[in-house]
Amino acid sequence: MSYQTVTDESEQIVASGLTPEQLFAALRQMHLIRAFEEKAEALYALGKIHGTMHLSIGQEASAVGACLALRPDDYILSTHRGHGHCIAKGAEPQLMMAEFFGKEVGYCRGRGGSMHIADVAGGNLGANGIVAGGLPLSTGVGLSIKMQQLDRVCLAFFGDGAANEGAFHESLNLAAIWELPVVYICENNQYAMSMPVTAAFPISQIAQRAAAYNMPGMTVDGNDLLAVYGAVKTAVLRARSGGGPSLIEAVTYRWRGHSKSDRQRYRTRDEVKEWQARDPIIRLENLLVAAALFTAEQLTDLGMAARQTIDESVTFAEAQADPDPATILEGVYA
């Protein structure tokens, strides 16, 4: 049993094997996630979106880096903070935005909203409003994959708060006993609502808990796309070859509050600014420019194009039909 903390970016980019086209596409997805969530927040402020939402601005590298290691026919399960996971797995922003607006053409026919977007055809089995709720589901998906003798992998996203739920321990224990093809990814964004990880864990790295279940555990810089990709790629290859599950901790930070009702009295502005200086998008852009793969102008254009795509998705969503009230009970009863 060993644990690694990957910090050397230059070693990662050489070892990743990613092509410039793949890196460009990954950066585009990160921009789409950022633009989608900034627009969602603005729409909420305008009263066009109802309920609440949980934004992952600042965490884009963990979502995109992890899904970059998957095949299209692999599965993911997400969390209530799952917009980035959806886009990283290939969801169409316009159908996500339609779901936001409660439209019939949305991914869940307008019934799911922000916290419950699923794209089954794309391998996204759904976000989950229950903390740690996706963990036992992912173990079940892994069992299904194994019983069908498929070579697919299920990747389960969860937060640091979920790692203190019973479902976490039960899910990892069963997955280890049955050697299931599941990769558990803890996005440690430093707070479970207002509870800091330093007050909630007696260990320095959540990945250390892998030892209790005899599976590999690794902590990576969650704001470094290449670090996340490298760790998840190794775990995915292990799972696909029958080696069983792994636990990866991606250390990152959410720039916004837990939800729209969070006044963030538990942290300082200086702390937020410190993490914003580690912006995963700017970090990847600087790396790509320094490696002479792309010019700064090309990457600026990429960001502008992403924002235009999201603006167009709003126009699309607002023009779509609302669900027929007569169908309100569809999907309520099994």
Side-chain angles (χ1 to χ4, degrees):
M1 184 65 61
S2 63
Y3 303 101
Q4 281 183 270
T5 301
V6 179
T7 57
D8 192 317
E9 295 179 7
S10 60
E11 287 186 6
Q12 288 182 65
I13 196 167
V14 171
S16 72
L18 292 170
T19 66
E21 291 75 17
Q22 287 176 305
L23 290 167
F24 192 78
L27 181 61
R28 177 178 181 273
Q29 285 189 318
M30 293 170 71
H31 272 295
L32 281 174
I33 294 169
R34 179 73 59 89
F36 184 93
E37 296 213 303
E38 289 178 345
K39 180 60 69 175
E41 190 173 37
L43 292 167
Y44 179 87
L46 291 171
K48 292 189 174 184
I49 300 294
H50 303 289
T52 188
M53 64 186 71
H54 304 76
L55 303 176
S56 64
I57 295 174
Q59 301 182 200
E60 295 86 355
S62 62
V64 176
C67 290
L68 192 57
L70 299 178
R71 294 190 324 215
D73 61 344
D74 288 328
Y75 300 110
I76 69 165
L77 279 138
S78 182
T79 71
H80 55 280
R81 203 178 307 283
H83 306 151
H85 307 148
C86 292
I87 292 175
K89 193 60 174 70
E92 294 291 339
Q94 63 180 12
L95 299 184
M96 287 179 61
M97 195 61 78
E99 185 62 36
F100 247 60
F101 276 86
K103 302 294 186 175
E104 182 69 26
V105 301
Y107 271 114
C108 301
R109 299 180 61 194
R111 275 76 164 174
S114 170
M115 285 194 287
H116 303 97
I117 298 176
D119 172 22
V120 177
N124 176 3
L125 301 181
N128 199 308
I130 299 173
V131 174
L135 286 165
L137 296 176
S138 64
T139 299
V141 173
L143 180 60
S144 173
I145 292 171
K146 185 166 185 175
M147 292 181 70
Q148 295 180 78
Q149 299 182 347
L150 302 174
D151 68 344
R152 295 178 179 177
V153 171
C154 180
L155 191 156
F157 288 103
F158 61 99
D160 46 275
N164 274 340
E165 295 279 352
F168 166 84
H169 300 282
E170 295 164 3
S171 301
L172 269 66
N173 189 50
L174 280 178
I177 291 170
W178 294 335
E179 298 181 326
L180 301 181
V182 184
V183 178
Y184 299 95
I185 298 187
C186 177
E187 293 181 302
N188 176 2
N189 65 14
Q190 311 303 313
Y191 290 98
M193 294 188 72
S194 58
M195 173 67 78
V197 292
T198 51
F201 292 85
I203 50 179
S204 60
Q205 295 177 327
I206 295 174
Q208 290 176 317
R209 290 189 170 171
Y213 306 106
N214 194 32
M215 67 175 69
M218 179 179 287
T219 296
V220 297
D221 183 344
N223 283 12
D224 183 340
L225 178 122
L226 294 181
V228 176
Y229 169 73
V232 177
K233 179 182 177 182
T234 299
V236 165
L237 290 174
R238 181 176 186 273
R240 205 184 301 285
S241 63
S246 300
L247 172 62
I248 295 170
E249 175 190 12
V251 180
T252 183
Y253 195 80
R254 58 169 161 80
W255 293 8
R256 299 295 195 265
H258 171 72
S259 66
K260 300 310 298 178
S261 61
D262 183 359
R263 301 181 69 177
Q264 305 183 63
R265 290 177 172 171
Y266 50 85
R267 63 183 182 181
T268 65
R269 292 181 179 178
D270 287 342
E271 179 184 297
V272 176
K273 288 179 180 177
E274 178 186 341
W275 278 93
Q276 287 176 333
R278 308 179 201 177
D279 186 332
I281 292 178
I282 293 177
R283 184 171 180 171
L284 181 58
E285 288 182 339
N286 288 342
L287 193 66
L288 297 180
V289 171
L293 294 178
F294 302 99
T295 65
E297 290 73 21
Q298 286 176 305
L299 301 186
T300 298
D301 291 344
L302 179 64
M304 293 176 62
R307 287 191 288 276
Q308 181 177 345
T309 296
I310 298 304
D311 287 343
E312 292 171 355
S313 74
V314 175
T315 302
F316 169 84
E318 289 186 309
Q320 303 307 306
D322 294 326
D324 183 347
T327 67
I328 194 171
L329 294 180
E330 290 183 6
V332 174
Y333 302 103

